Amino acid sequence: MSEILIPKESEYILTAIYNEFLIRYTNGVPRDKAKIFRHQDNVLKLVPEIWEEDLSGLLDELKYLSLISGTKGSGVYMFVTLTTTGITYMENRVGNKLENVAKALIALKSLLPTNN
């Protein structure tokens, strides 16, 4: 896979999605179901540090890079799914151990502006 460069906010969102995917998968949820997140509000719950107004555009960046797939309506993602490309990218970036993903999330979170 060629190197993919994405902004820290998008990387944070993708890492949070991947973390949730791993939690689901290690808890016995089948892979094809574990990667489905549905409405963007479900993603927002994973990343409350991200401004709601920015989320759709950041998801657009991830979709453009084929790291997620999604269906958008009225400027909002109605359906979000982590793609195989997204999983592979994250496996190469942080591995598939939850503790490594958690460390990556903490590091990325420290780089974000506050939304207070």
Side-chain angles (χ1 to χ4, degrees):
M1 174 181 285
S2 62
E3 185 177 3
I4 297 174
L5 301 174
I6 58 177
K8 65 183 177 284
E9 293 92 349
S10 298
E11 180 91 17
Y12 181 68
I13 292 168
L14 181 62
T15 304
I17 290 172
Y18 179 66
N19 184 61
E20 181 64 21
F21 162 78
L22 280 180
I23 290 168
R24 293 173 182 178
Y25 189 60
T26 57
N27 285 327
V29 177
R31 180 183 165 99
D32 64 330
K33 290 183 174 49
K35 59 186 186 175
I36 297 172
F37 290 85
R38 303 199 191 287
H39 197 276
Q40 78 177 34
D41 285 347
N42 295 324
V43 175
L44 187 61
K45 290 175 188 172
L46 301 174
V47 291
E49 302 80 11
I50 299 295
W51 288 300
E52 186 173 357
E53 300 82 8
D54 291 341
L55 184 60
S56 183
L58 295 168
L59 291 172
D60 286 342
E61 292 174 3
L62 296 172
K63 183 178 177 184
Y64 176 77
L65 295 167
S66 300
L67 299 170
I68 65 164
S69 64
T71 304
K72 207 172 181 181
S74 301
V76 174
Y77 277 90
M78 302 298 183
F79 196 81
V80 177
T81 304
L82 181 61
T83 64
T84 301
T85 302
I87 294 168
T88 303
Y89 171 80
M90 291 306 301
E91 286 175 343
N92 287 314
R93 187 115 169 100
V94 296
N96 60 0
K97 294 190 173 161
L98 286 169
E99 57 271 10
N100 293 344
V101 179
K103 288 177 188 175
L105 274 172
I106 291 167
L108 287 164
K109 183 178 177 179
S110 72
L111 300 174
L112 298 175
T114 60
N115 66 356
N116 297 349

